[in-house]
Amino acid sequence: MNTVWSTYIQSIGTLYGSRALRFSDLFKEQYKEAFGIKADAKILEIGCGPGALCEALLRWYPNSNISGIDRDSNFIDFARKNSADIDYREADAACLPYDDGSFDVTISNTVAEHIEPSAFYGEQRRVLKDGGVCIVLSARRGINIKADCIKEESDFEKELWERTEKYFIDAMKRYEVCSYPQSEAELPMCMQKYGFKNVSTKYLTVNLTPDDPKYTKETAYAMINADRKNDIDNIDAFEYVAPGVVSREEAEALKKIVNEKYDKRISLYDQGKKQWDTNMSLTMVIRGEK
């Protein structure tokens, strides 16, 4: 059983909530245009996490056959419980448990930077049919502006986050997170290097701004609470990432402060007092053919 990522890097709640927003049906058409996937494709997601993208693919391509693999047991258990119509397996992207030529499409989201490129692309090329499509989604630098009621920090908050920061950095290094970063130019060149042709790129933006009137109240709440979940999960991770560094009483006090901040942000939203905080993500989509 491997639970490294869900324990030390990103929890199920944080990863699933943020991806569910980014792969909401609100943004379906721009993704479908960039993917160029036929309606009845056999699709494999590499590094599916708790399953948000696989679920979106099933909604967007209901006549397709969707599979997902991830090394983290907790992610796969969660994904299986969420959707019985998707074939989830615990597996390594560098050693896929499928026969040659099994899929029409392989797709991954923020995975390429964590895996040695020859293994990452070599295994996908192996399991793709002739003419099959490899799609790589890579997060690029976006815009993240917090509401004043969230970003203001007391000395107590600052001291706790500073006290634990190096432990989170050490965990990222220990588990080789983002060991193979690539620039916007290097990504398509790398896909070409490992045998894919007709490589193309697109850039997609997802604008998560709660105060934008095009979003429903429920969606605005989901945006605010996704950030809340991320902060609370980071506090819960103190126990594993930095054991003994923060007392239980300190952690609970910090969680209380964080929840009060997000409660205030929701209250401001309900009162119509716009903060215009935003999380605008920029995703590069690299697409190649076998």
Side-chain angles (χ1 to χ4, degrees), residues 22-175:
R22 282 164 176 75
F23 297 117
S24 162
D25 290 347
L26 293 166
F27 313 111
K28 173 176 70 172
E29 294 308 322
Q30 67 169 348
Y31 282 118
K32 290 187 70 175
E33 181 183 357
F35 293 168
I37 296 174
K38 63 182 182 179
D40 58 349
K42 190 173 182 183
I43 304 170
L44 171 65
E45 184 187 358
I46 308 293
C48 64
L53 176 53
C54 276
E55 291 171 18
L57 291 169
L58 187 60
R59 294 194 308 271
W60 301 343
Y61 306 97
N63 295 321
S64 287
N65 181 289
I66 313 294
S67 301
I69 65 102
D70 201 284
R71 290 181 64 187
D72 193 289
S73 309
N74 287 337
F75 288 158
I76 293 299
D77 288 346
F78 179 91
R80 284 173 175 163
K81 290 173 184 175
N82 252 20
S83 181
D85 296 324
I86 296 169
D87 177 28
Y88 288 110
R89 301 189 191 183
E90 186 177 339
D92 189 338
C95 186
L96 296 171
Y98 302 102
D99 293 335
D100 296 359
S102 294
F103 294 94
D104 299 299
V105 178
T106 57
I107 188 168
S108 61
N109 176 49
T110 63
V111 176
E113 61 267 32
H114 307 303
I115 302 172
E116 193 279 318
S118 65
F120 177 72
Y121 286 110
E123 274 296 89
Q124 289 183 73
R125 196 171 188 282
R126 179 184 68 77
V127 301
L128 279 169
K129 299 174 184 177
D130 289 340
V133 174
C134 174
I135 301 170
V136 171
L137 279 64
S138 178
R140 303 286 101 182
R141 187 180 297 278
I143 299 171
N144 189 359
I145 300 171
K146 293 182 179 294
D148 287 344
C149 63
I150 303 296
K151 69 181 181 183
E152 291 174 354
E153 290 186 326
S154 65
D155 290 341
F156 172 73
E157 293 172 85
K158 290 176 183 177
E159 195 279 325
L160 278 192
W161 290 121
E162 289 170 1
R163 194 193 308 173
T164 55
E165 181 180 19
K166 78 179 189 70
Y167 295 93
F168 284 95
I169 293 172
D170 288 346
M172 299 278 277
K173 291 178 180 177
R174 184 182 316 121
Y175 299 114

Side-chain angles (χ1 to χ4, degrees), residues 230-247:
N230 179 72
D231 290 352
I232 294 297
D233 283 350
N234 281 337
I235 297 169
D236 285 336
F238 290 167
E239 179 181 354
Y240 307 102
V241 176
V245 174
V246 176
S247 71

